[in-house]
Amino acid sequence: QPNAALTWALPQQQPFRSDDGQKEIELLFLPDEDNGQKLVLYRVHENGHGQRKQKPFIPIEIFSLKRINLECLPLGARISLWGQNDLQALLQEQSEAQTLSLYDAASRFTVASVPDNGVEGWQYHPALGFAKKRM
């Protein structure tokens, strides 16, 4: 049916993201403790009842994250990323606009739910987002 996409029926039958029952975890980027010039990936730790503990963030960047660098890939002459994807600059802008500390802005605006990938971790690019890392 050519006009099926104009109704509510098609998205109900073929949802964009289906609930596949896979466990998800929350990740977030927070400024480093030295000078706040670098964002480090943390896992949000929750106790068994879905409540955050006193110190809810566990650093996992070193073991679980591979940052993707697209500059080393051969892209076509007219292929480029669009939009601003410098997370550090965007967080700085939001923290100033909402009179928040950089840490508070990061803990509010950088949370992402991703499928749990165990010890293998994730790949990440600011414009492309997260993907499961394969060993």
Side-chain angles (χ1 to χ4, degrees), residues 9-135:
L10 190 59
Q12 284 189 342
Q13 298 302 313
Q14 299 172 343
F16 176 67
R17 290 194 174 115
S18 63
D19 184 19
D20 57 3
Q22 187 175 10
K23 181 182 175 193
E24 289 192 346
I25 63 168
E26 287 186 342
L27 304 176
L28 77 157
F29 287 99
L30 294 174
D32 64 349
E33 295 178 2
D34 295 334
N35 55 9
Q37 296 300 316
K38 181 183 176 196
L39 295 174
V40 179
L41 185 67
Y42 289 81
R43 179 179 179 161
V44 178
H45 182 72
E46 296 182 358
N47 65 18
H49 304 292
Q51 299 172 348
R52 293 182 178 179
K53 287 187 176 182
Q54 241 359 33
K55 190 158 179 122
F57 307 132
I58 301 169
I60 61 170
E61 171 130 11
I62 297 169
F63 309 106
S64 300
L65 185 69
K66 175 187 176 193
R67 291 182 184 252
I68 300 170
N69 182 4
L70 293 181
E71 282 78 39
C72 63
L73 295 177
L75 298 177
R78 296 185 297 174
I79 297 175
S80 65
L81 298 174
W82 54 275
Q84 184 178 2
N85 57 36
D86 181 4
L87 185 56
Q88 182 80 24
L90 292 168
L91 275 175
Q92 188 66 38
E93 184 180 315
Q94 281 299 313
S95 68
E96 292 170 4
Q98 299 197 21
T99 61
L100 296 169
S101 70
L102 189 60
Y103 182 90
D104 289 339
S107 63
R108 182 181 293 184
F109 298 117
T110 67
V111 178
S113 292
V114 297
D116 191 358
N117 202 27
V119 296
E120 293 181 20
W122 303 269
Q123 299 180 85
Y124 172 75
H125 185 272
L128 303 175
F130 287 94
K132 286 184 176 181
K133 185 168 65 172
R134 307 280 184 211
M135 291 282 197

